[in-house]
Amino acid sequence: MDGLRDDLVRLAAIPSVAFPGFPGEPVREAHDLLVGLLREAGVEHIERIDLPDTAPVIFAEIPPPSPDAPTVLLYSHYDVQPPGDEESWHSPPFEPTPVEGGLRARGIADDKSNVIAHLGMLRAYEGRPPVGVKIVFEGQEEYGSPFDTYPPTDAERFACDAMVIADLGNLRPGTPTLTTGLRGAAEVVVEVRTLEEPRHSGEFGGAAPDALLVLVKALATLHDVHGDVAVEGLRREEWGGAAYTEEEFRELAGVRDGVPLVGSGSLGERLWSGPAITVIGLDAPSVDHAASAVVPYARAKLNLRFHPRQDPREAQARLVDHLNSLTPFGVPLIVTPGDTGPGYEAATGGPAYRAALAALEEAWGAEPSYVATGGSIPLVNGLARAAPGAEVLLFGAQDSMCNLHAPNERVLFSELRNTVVAMCAFVERYAADFRGRSQGGAAGV
């Protein structure tokens, strides 16, 4: 752990933000550091995948130790979110700083702790684990890149029996968790044009159509009186896995005292197995610069999250059709669909899944839970299409209270250590099970 902690500090001190407007050299510096750490861990075959307008992807490979050993793909990313408002941080975002039980820095949980966890497993086996290994360390996950859809075009490179996507973590510290579902995402822009230009609200208000009032009336139809999404055709099911308590969620979301949560049903259903529509942007006159005039133009950008098994084009079309069916005060809306991203639901019950459950329990000393997440990891679908027979496991060293994408992001050493132990136990158990099934099949023949 001392060595892993030291390397995590080195990696987290590099401001590897792969967003436009940020320097590219730190991203390359993080790439080069990881290549060196992989070599030190005993990995000999290391390549670099370069795609247009994206940071380099590290691809490394360790061959299976025997013909009856499986191959496991390990994924993480070494780029990070921008730090945001640095005045909100208790310490400089790229100066890893001790906190109780861990370290604070931008990207230290998402996703550099998981990169280090992969390295920890390789070191534990001195670069010769009981499985074949393919390593994918991406450098532009947070902003997005062509790599999201690249794996199916080079399927042989990514072929494997199971993959560990370490870009997630536990429901809460000390609770081993497998994520089995990712909600999909889609965007829609809705706009209203009613007048050629603003008109005096005293002279024209009351008859002249106010674009902002039209837009607000349309947006109000997206939810019912409870706050549940009212758009027909968006899939919603009961949630049977673990979930936050209301107290945990209120604290995590920063809900002010006295303000109720939105929607009905369990939190898991509202957050993971049901839809959510959020107004993420609004073009309208600001209060500080408001004039006494009827508004001629208004626009809103909507973000839709939907059930992991719903087709993204269908989900987006349901929202578009709902908006196109409206004519508030007789005024038509201009509706423009934007980007979509599919959700993902992992198959459970296979040998890799069973090995992961046992490994998580061994590492944390507690029965594992399963959750979904409202966030999305677009590359998961690309990797799953490249290796359609592989089991996909989503777990890692983060936890839901680590402040990822927010000020004062932190990781706990206990979660990092247990993730390394779990990964070691997983490859050991999975290799033994795979070998037993292979020998059994051969004996049967």
Side-chain angles (χ1 to χ4, degrees), residues 277-309:
I277 298 175
T278 306
V279 181
I280 60 173
L282 186 67
D283 290 337
S286 69
V287 171
D288 290 342
H289 299 93
S292 296
V294 179
V295 175
Y297 172 76
R299 181 173 67 156
K301 188 171 189 177
L302 308 179
N303 179 264
L304 167 65
R305 302 286 171 152
F306 49 88
H307 191 283
R309 289 200 301 270

Side-chain angles (χ1 to χ4, degrees), residues 183 236 239 242-250 261-262 264-274:
R183 274 201 302 199
R236 177 168 176 161
W239 175 250
Y244 304 112
T245 66
E246 182 169 329
E247 292 72 21
E248 284 176 329
F249 183 78
R250 292 182 68 88
L261 300 186
V262 174
S264 61
S266 72
L267 277 174
E269 190 174 328
R270 281 179 273 175
L271 296 172
W272 302 325
S273 61

Side-chain angles (χ1 to χ4, degrees), residues 180-185 235-237 239 271-275 305-312 341-346 371-375 381:
T180 59
L182 307 170
R183 274 201 302 199
R235 189 167 182 169
R236 177 168 176 161
E237 297 176 357
W239 175 250
L271 296 172
W272 302 325
S273 61
R305 302 286 171 152
F306 49 88
H307 191 283
R309 289 200 301 270
Q310 186 156 26
D311 180 87
Y344 183 79
E345 187 169 63
V371 299
T373 178
N381 282 279

